[in-house]
Amino acid sequence: MDNGMIGKIEKAKRYAQERTRIHFDALTVTFEGDNNPHTVHYDHGTWTCDCDFFQTRGRCCHTMAIEIVLEGMIPVAEKV
Ligand SMILES: [Zn+2]
């Protein structure tokens, strides 16, 4: 491997530790729930999930789990 790539890999490892550098604007996730898979979307601060709970509450265990996984890289909604 050339020195240029080695340097980039080292930089990538450092960046990966600095999560606040990374801001997710939008993403789509297939979430394997206990019963069914659910599709979760995040788009510039707005979450959607196709589970029943989300339809009435606007948050659900799927969106909140992803908020935890992506902590520091997406704005976290107000705690309920
Ligand atoms: Zn959900």
Side-chain angles (χ1 to χ4, degrees), residues 61-77:
C61 57
H62 313 112
T63 63
M64 289 187 282
I66 297 169
E67 284 180 339
I68 293 167
V69 171
L70 299 183
E71 184 179 2
M73 296 183 285
I74 54 170
V76 175

Side-chain angles (χ1 to χ4, degrees), residues 4 9 14 18 20 29 41 50 67-68 76:
I9 291 170
R14 179 163 57 80
E18 299 172 8
T20 55
V29 174
H41 295 285
D50 63 5
E67 284 180 339
I68 293 167
V76 175

Side-chain angles (χ1 to χ4, degrees), residues 5-73:
M5 182 57 81
I6 290 169
K8 292 300 183 191
I9 291 170
E10 289 303 315
K11 193 169 188 179
K13 289 177 180 173
R14 179 163 57 80
Y15 274 174
Q17 302 300 314
E18 299 172 8
R19 298 163 68 95
T20 55
R21 288 182 181 273
I22 301 167
H23 305 279
F24 280 82
D25 296 320
L27 59 91
T28 299
V29 174
T30 299
F31 200 111
E32 299 294 338
D34 286 341
N35 301 310
N36 301 301
H38 292 289
T39 302
V40 179
H41 295 285
Y42 175 80
D43 189 359
H44 295 84
T46 301
W47 290 98
T48 58
C49 180
D50 63 5
C51 74
D52 290 340
F53 191 90
F54 186 91
Q55 308 316 312
T56 56
R57 302 293 294 275
R59 292 181 88 192
C60 62
C61 57
H62 313 112
T63 63
M64 289 187 282
I66 297 169
E67 284 180 339
I68 293 167
V69 171
L70 299 183
E71 184 179 2
M73 296 183 285

